[in-house]
Amino acid sequence: MATTTPTTAAVAPAALLPTRQPESLWRQATRAFFRQRSAVIGLTIIILLVLISIFAPLLAPYDPEQVLIGVEDVQKRSAPCVHAFGCPSTQPQHIMGTDGNNRDELSRIIYGARISLYVGLITVGFAIIVGVLLGALAGYVGGWFDNLVMRILDVLLAFPALLLAIAIVSVLGPGLINAMLAIAIVSIPAYARVMRASVLSVKQEEFVQAARVVGAGPVAILFQHVLPNAISPLIVQGTLGIGTAILETAALSFLGLGAQPPTPEWGSMLSAERNQLFSAPFLVFFPGLAIMVNVLGFNLLGDGLRDALDPRLRR
């Protein structure tokens, strides 16, 4: 009885099928991020704010600190908004009207976006650098150094962040730079604790033990193996922290401890026109809306990054 053997032609196609390369974690996170509508909306808001900040001199119709009319017209602002000189409905050349000192409101809102992004990025950047160093060293070294650093940070966390920032600015003196420094100081404990927890988890992984076995030094292990794999939670925390820093800076400026007039900062604009709430409500509405949109964009972006970078939250 004859037996049949499989031919080479029959098995060759299956053997020559291309193998699919596994998708990288960052590509998976990117795809998961763009599948979330709220995250895309947040990213769009941030991109628009960045573009407005970059091209502010081209977009703003006037100098944000330029007084446009004389003192006699300022007195007309005591009338209701529908009859006031600076109301948007009666000022076609000023889309958002003019403020109490007769400066174009739209121009000040546009330049305020530049200041807010500058404040958020610089403040959070400084807090992250210090917090990463403290948290990474505390988590990796452990022992008495870990206890010392964490107890100092616990003391800072015992105070409400805004009250502690107000106390620091009161000592240093009012001003935008001092307000940024105060907010950065009160933000350091949050980033340090996130980094410490991440380092404590990563340093127990097998690849870290393997690097130690082959003779890698503690500094090389920390900066080449532990930190790159512990940075994901910090990205999310930093993105959310930018919105918080912008909001706290606006609060300090509203209290007169942050940006000083005539700087076009949204919080100081709210403070300067808070008495015009009923006679010229647009002077309070537009800066408040700008703060809300800015913070909302960073919060949506941070939530999207959290869901995308955490495999447990991916759908």
Side-chain angles (χ1 to χ4, degrees), residues 4 32 39 58 94 148 161 175 184 212 223 234 249 272 281 312:
T4 60
L58 300 178
H94 303 293
L148 176 63
R212 187 176 291 110
F223 288 97
L234 202 66
T249 303
R312 296 168 298 179

Side-chain angles (χ1 to χ4, degrees), residues 177-256:
I177 300 300
N178 291 340
M180 292 169 57
L181 180 60
I183 295 172
I185 291 174
V186 301
S187 302
I188 288 174
Y191 300 108
R193 291 174 69 90
V194 170
M195 177 53 61
R196 174 181 177 271
S198 188
V199 167
L200 287 174
S201 176
V202 171
K203 77 174 186 178
Q204 303 299 330
E205 297 292 338
E206 294 181 357
F207 65 88
V208 177
Q209 304 299 331
R212 187 176 291 110
V213 168
V214 298
V219 177
I221 293 176
L222 177 61
F223 288 97
Q224 296 180 10
H225 300 282
V226 175
L227 281 183
N229 291 279
I231 204 72
S232 296
L234 202 66
I235 296 175
V236 177
Q237 184 73 18
T239 305
L240 295 171
I242 293 176
T244 302
I246 293 173
L247 192 60
E248 290 178 348
T249 303
L252 291 178
S253 297
F254 182 84
L255 297 174

Side-chain angles (χ1 to χ4, degrees), residues 40-302:
V40 174
I41 293 174
L43 180 62
T44 303
I45 293 174
I46 300 307
I47 292 176
L48 289 176
L49 288 172
V50 171
L51 292 177
I52 290 174
S53 301
I54 294 174
F55 298 104
L58 300 178
L59 297 175
Y62 299 94
D63 186 326
E65 299 180 7
Q66 177 186 0
V67 177
L68 301 175
I69 53 178
V71 178
E72 64 277 8
D73 293 318
V74 177
Q75 298 174 354
K76 299 179 182 179
R77 303 206 53 80
S78 58
C81 178
V82 292
H83 302 297
F85 178 86
C87 183
S89 61
T90 60
Q91 282 281 85
Q93 69 272 32
H94 303 293
I95 298 177
M96 293 185 180
T98 55
D99 66 1
N101 292 313
N102 290 283
R103 296 169 296 200
D104 184 64
E105 187 77 358
L106 175 61
S107 300
R108 294 179 64 78
I109 293 291
I110 291 175
Y111 274 88
R114 173 180 290 187
I115 294 177
S116 293
L117 288 178
Y118 166 78
V119 166
L121 294 175
I122 297 299
T123 301
V124 172
F126 177 82
I128 285 179
I129 291 174
V130 179
V132 164
L133 291 176
L134 291 176
L137 290 175
Y140 188 76
V141 175
W144 66 269
F145 183 77
D146 183 19
N147 290 328
L148 176 63
V149 172
M150 287 299 104
R151 298 298 77 78
I152 294 175
L153 297 181
D154 287 342
V155 172
L156 293 178
L157 287 173
F159 297 93
L162 187 57
L163 292 180
L164 182 58
I166 291 174
I168 294 174
V169 176
S170 300
V171 174
L172 298 178
L176 184 60
I177 300 300
N178 291 340
M180 292 169 57
L181 180 60
I183 295 172
I185 291 174
V186 301
S187 302
I188 288 174
Y191 300 108
R193 291 174 69 90
V194 170
M195 177 53 61
R196 174 181 177 271
S198 188
V199 167
L200 287 174
S201 176
V202 171
K203 77 174 186 178
Q204 303 299 330
E205 297 292 338
E206 294 181 357
F207 65 88
V208 177
Q209 304 299 331
R212 187 176 291 110
V213 168
V214 298
V219 177
I221 293 176
L222 177 61
F223 288 97
Q224 296 180 10
H225 300 282
V226 175
L227 281 183
N229 291 279
I231 204 72
S232 296
L234 202 66
I235 296 175
V236 177
Q237 184 73 18
T239 305
L240 295 171
I242 293 176
T244 302
I246 293 173
L247 192 60
E248 290 178 348
T249 303
L252 291 178
S253 297
F254 182 84
L255 297 174
L257 300 175
Q260 302 298 306
T263 303
E265 199 276 333
W266 294 333
S268 64
M269 293 168 63
L270 281 173
S271 177
E273 305 298 339
R274 64 184 183 274
N275 295 326
Q276 303 290 340
L277 179 60
F278 297 104
S279 60
F282 61 92
L283 295 179
V284 178
F285 174 77
F286 289 127
L289 179 64
I291 295 173
M292 185 201 72
V293 171
N294 203 336
V295 176
L296 176 64
F298 281 105
N299 286 345
L300 292 177
L301 180 62

